[in-house]
Amino acid sequence: MALAGLMWSVVGVVLCHLAYVWLKAVPWSRALPLGLLGVASALVAYRYGFLKIALKNIDRLCLLTEKPCIFAFQAWRSYLIIVFMVALGIALRSSPIPRHILAVIYTTIGGALFLSSLHFYRRIWRVKIRKQPCVSSEDQG
């Protein structure tokens, strides 16, 4: 559970950092609206996409045995999605699309990943600190 949360957090922060660097290179009058669009899009992507994926992963992790494989933090078919997303990121960075426009996409995905990662930590808190059972996803509220 901790590895999953850490991976989602790190990737989210790295993507947001890249977006910040790209936005920093343009005048603030252009960077601010693009940054705000990225943040708003991240909230939407988090609420209607990434949250559901994170909660499904958390529920699946709760069902695993004591010593699962280190790669079990994601479902096996999720690795195909990860490979696709990495390839898409490489393709986008190699494309003629200006970096400050790509920053919106990177902020959207990075922000949604980071916000979703907080649910992994919340579940760890409930299970390890509060000694509650690791059961279904009541994290939505």
Side-chain angles (χ1 to χ4, degrees):
M1 189 87 57
L3 180 59
L6 183 64
M7 292 301 294
W8 285 51
S9 293
V10 167
V11 172
V13 167
V14 166
L15 291 175
C16 287
H17 176 73
L18 277 172
Y20 169 76
V21 169
W22 293 338
L23 288 175
K24 190 171 71 166
V26 297
W28 73 268
S29 59
R30 266 197 343 204
L32 183 62
L34 292 171
L36 291 174
L37 177 61
V39 170
S41 299
L43 292 171
V44 172
Y46 157 72
R47 176 64 182 95
Y48 295 105
F50 285 79
L51 174 61
K52 293 173 187 163
I53 296 168
L55 294 177
K56 282 172 96 174
N57 274 335
I58 290 168
D59 287 344
R60 187 183 50 73
L61 289 170
C62 284
L63 299 174
L64 294 177
T65 61
E66 279 298 313
K67 296 283 184 177
C69 169
I70 193 165
F71 297 106
F73 72 89
Q74 292 285 3
W76 287 109
R77 62 180 178 256
S78 294
Y79 284 101
L80 295 174
I81 296 169
I82 292 168
V83 168
F84 172 75
M85 290 179 73
V86 168
L88 182 62
I90 291 168
L92 285 172
R93 283 194 312 273
S94 302
S95 76
I97 300 170
R99 296 284 195 252
H100 62 278
I101 301 300
L102 288 180
V104 175
I105 298 168
Y106 275 59
T107 302
T108 299
I109 303 300
L113 279 170
F114 182 78
L115 290 171
S116 298
S117 75
L118 301 177
H119 290 274
F120 289 95
Y121 306 130
R122 182 177 180 186
R123 186 61 61 91
I124 292 168
W125 174 265
R126 286 181 173 177
V127 172
K128 296 295 183 184
I129 307 300
R130 298 187 71 200
K131 306 294 185 203
Q132 294 177 350
C134 188
V135 291
S136 69
S137 52
E138 66 270 354
D139 279 317
Q140 290 191 38

